Amino acid sequence: MSYVEVPLTRLALVALLVAIAALVSRRARLDLEGSIAWAAVRGAVQLLAVGYALRLLFAYEHVLSLALALSVMTLVAAWTAARRVEHAPDRRALFWPALAAITAGGVVSLVPVFALVITPTPWYSGRYVIPIAGMMLSNAMNVVALTLERIFASARAEAPRIEQLLALGASPEQALHAQERAALRAAMTPTLNGLFTVGLVALPGMMTGQIVSGIDPKSAVRYQLVVLFQLVAVAAVAGWVAATLSRRMLFTSREQLRPF
Amino acid sequence: MGESEDARGVRSLSARGLGLAREGRNVLDGVDFAIEAGAIACIEGPSGCGKSTLLRVLATLLEPTAGEVYLEGVAAHAIAPRTFRRRVAYVPQQAPMLEGTVADNVAAGPRLRGAQPTPTRVEQCLALVGLDGAFAARPASELSGGERQRVALARALANEPEFLLLDEPTAALDTRAAERILERVRALAREGLGLVVVTHEPTHAAALGARRRTMHAGRLREGEG
């Protein structure tokens, strides 16, 4: 099967599509032209750089280089997830819970799959591990950001109710149960919706990529299913860890709701 | 204070040297306090004087920066928080109702520790606050302000506490509903409960036959202050 390359000159042509968006923005007075241009340039530079980095990584395959790449990805995901939370007792302290939650989700979703399901040789083959880990970490990042934001916002809004439960003899876990449940459900919904509508609304990214690069759709579908199931696990685990750790931040050792 | 009363075998809730600093301001400033079972103490004072804060500290929901709360002479820090809060109940101003029926609300405390009160027990608790047993099935979200306040009181009593801390129990209630609450408070004290009532209403202390304390700028004084 042939593979159609995109030459750089033609890639430049696609930039015109961004120009169309900028024109629409000016016409409708959205005042987004600057953001559109900056996002386009930044996205292009980031992706081109990543392209070269991946090439390097795949050329010199080594456990350490893979570990380094995964660490950088996890750290950036944790930093981004923590930064997006607006209602928190201490935003600077959010990095560590976010890191723990994203790491936990990543480990649970990736290790069994690369040990038992997708078994490349060598096992640290970046070509397999990096893209799939990227999807997991990015989902974990979104779930963690949503969970943290929602738990802290609702704990603040519903502080009287939480305190009333504590006064009735509730443990912090019981007092925060309703907020934790709502936050986790909301954070997991996009992942579950993705699973419900997969193939009906859009073909998922991984499968699309494989099909475009000439892989038999039957194989591509299997890979995609692996990824989708991993995404559910990563969402559940990362969200749950984030919720548990945010509860620890919300209550003192004397089981009092921290004022914030 | 706490220790001597304990030696006499009288149940007491007390506090010594309570201080709480927030944003450079002393919300509580060296507060000493004590109440015995069967007594009522009224804490009066203008809004923002720290009386609600004092109540939350006595309920161990807020950590003081100085001093300690004692239950029967035992420091609150030496008692597990959940045990302490079952023995010292706290009803905030306009207490939020939980989901479900009035019965669900009244049963909430016991349920949190895995107990399931019988319908008869729920009715008993409702009777303590002067509400009919038929109330049990009503959705808590549909209650009036006065009814909510009484259900909150019944909910606190379902844990069989020894002391009850009430923050503005008659706020936003009409005179008739307020009188009913005060009447219940008196009845509860007669049954041996120690009650601390925070109020900005100067007539309550007399109506309750309570010892009167006034709070001003974080300091607690005997009498009208």
Side-chain angles (χ1 to χ4, degrees):
Chain A
M1 213 178 277
S2 64
Y3 180 72
V4 186
E5 284 274 354
V6 179
L8 273 176
T9 43
R10 293 197 196 168
L11 187 58
L13 208 64
V14 194
L16 285 178
L17 290 175
V18 179
I20 292 176
L23 277 178
V24 170
S25 162
R26 166 156 301 186
R27 180 86 204 209
R29 294 183 188 166
L30 304 180
D31 203 19
L32 281 175
E33 299 93 294
S35 298
I36 289 172
W38 172 233
V41 171
R42 197 177 142 167
V45 170
Q46 269 170 224
L47 271 184
L48 288 173
V50 163
Y52 284 110
L54 286 178
R55 227 171 147 182
L56 217 67
L57 213 62
F58 297 168
Y60 305 99
E61 240 163 26
H62 194 280
V63 183
L64 287 180
S65 56
L66 179 73
L68 180 71
L70 290 180
S71 305
V72 170
M73 289 158 73
T74 310
L75 288 170
V76 172
W79 185 73
T80 312
R83 202 175 51 125
R84 280 191 201 158
V85 180
E86 279 181 31
H87 305 86
D90 181 1
R91 279 169 73 179
R92 284 162 303 173
L94 280 181
F95 173 78
W96 298 107
L99 183 65
I102 291 170
T103 306
V107 168
V108 169
S109 61
L110 293 168
V111 172
V113 164
F114 282 107
L116 303 167
V117 185
I118 301 171
T119 48
T121 321
W123 64 265
Y124 49 84
S125 172
R127 195 158 68 87
Y128 289 90
V129 180
I130 299 273
I132 293 182
M135 287 188 268
M136 297 311 128
L137 294 174
S138 124
N139 201 41
M141 173 182 80
N142 290 328
V143 166
V144 167
L146 280 171
T147 306
L148 292 176
E149 169 62 23
R150 178 118 186 207
I151 283 195
F152 288 126
S154 59
R156 176 180 274 186
E158 293 160 43
R161 186 184 183 281
I162 295 170
E163 220 166 53
Q164 175 66 89
L165 282 166
L166 289 176
L168 287 169
S171 65
E173 200 174 346
Q174 290 172 320
L176 195 68
H177 175 72
Q179 290 74 17
E180 269 189 58
R181 185 172 180 273
L184 274 177
R185 285 181 69 100
M188 282 194 69
T189 299
T191 306
L192 287 178
N193 282 349
L195 205 52
F196 278 128
T197 60
V198 66
L200 299 177
V201 178
L203 295 179
M206 170 133 180
M207 190 171 138
T208 311
Q210 284 190 312
I211 292 173
V212 169
S213 60
I215 302 286
D216 178 6
K218 202 182 84 189
S219 304
V221 163
R222 287 189 192 171
Y223 261 88
Q224 189 60 56
L225 266 180
V226 171
V227 167
L228 284 172
F229 291 165
Q230 280 180 292
L231 287 175
V232 180
V234 88
V237 172
W240 180 74
V241 173
T244 305
L245 295 178
S246 43
R247 191 200 313 139
R248 295 213 182 140
M249 291 176 74
L250 278 167
F251 294 93
T252 67
S253 58
R254 297 279 305 148
E255 304 190 350
Q256 294 148 333
L257 185 63
R258 263 181 226 282
F260 72 95
Chain B
M1 294 198 15
E3 289 87 342
S4 58
E5 281 156 9
D6 200 32
R8 295 202 317 268
V10 180
R11 285 176 178 169
S12 70
L13 175 70
S14 60
R16 208 174 304 154
L18 286 183
L20 185 75
R22 203 185 282 156
E23 288 158 10
R25 199 170 70 91
N26 283 332
V27 187
L28 296 180
D29 191 0
V31 172
D32 293 328
F33 176 82
I35 183 172
E36 294 180 356
I40 307 176
C42 262
I43 299 176
E44 298 172 358
S47 52
C49 68
K51 54 192 195 299
S52 293
T53 304
L54 172 61
L55 217 53
R56 288 177 66 217
V57 170
L58 289 176
T60 70
L61 290 168
L62 208 57
E63 195 64 21
T65 38
E68 177 65 287
V69 175
Y70 300 87
L71 181 57
E72 293 187 46
V74 180
H77 271 98
I79 306 172
R82 287 169 234 173
T83 310
F84 184 97
R85 289 169 196 161
R86 276 171 209 144
R87 295 176 62 189
V88 181
Y90 163 70
V91 181
Q93 189 176 349
Q94 291 171 23
M97 288 289 106
L98 307 172
E99 294 82 24
T101 60
V102 166
D104 290 327
N105 270 273
V106 174
R111 275 185 195 159
L112 286 168
R113 56 174 189 273
Q116 182 60 53
T118 60
T120 320
R121 171 76 189 131
V122 169
E123 281 180 24
Q124 279 172 356
C125 294
L126 288 174
L128 282 174
V129 298
L131 285 176
D132 191 79
F135 247 82
R138 284 190 48 188
S141 54
E142 290 175 7
L143 303 178
S144 73
E147 291 164 346
R148 274 167 186 252
Q149 203 58 42
R150 283 196 280 172
V151 170
L153 211 54
R155 183 170 64 186
L157 293 170
N159 270 344
E160 298 178 55
E162 296 154 37
F163 292 90
L164 188 53
L165 314 172
L166 302 175
D167 194 355
E168 302 280 5
T170 63
L173 299 189
D174 59 51
T175 324
R176 180 78 196 94
E179 273 169 14
R180 259 193 231 135
I181 292 273
L182 296 179
E183 189 186 296
R184 287 294 121 197
V185 167
R186 277 195 302 268
L188 290 169
R190 279 197 299 274
E191 283 169 33
L193 221 67
L195 288 114
V196 184
V197 182
V198 154
T199 176
H200 67 273
E201 181 59 61
T203 58
H204 281 173
L208 289 169
R211 229 173 116 184
R212 195 168 190 180
R213 292 176 178 85
T214 309
M215 198 138 191
H216 187 75
R219 289 172 169 273
L220 191 63
R221 274 176 279 185
E222 291 286 330
E224 289 176 47

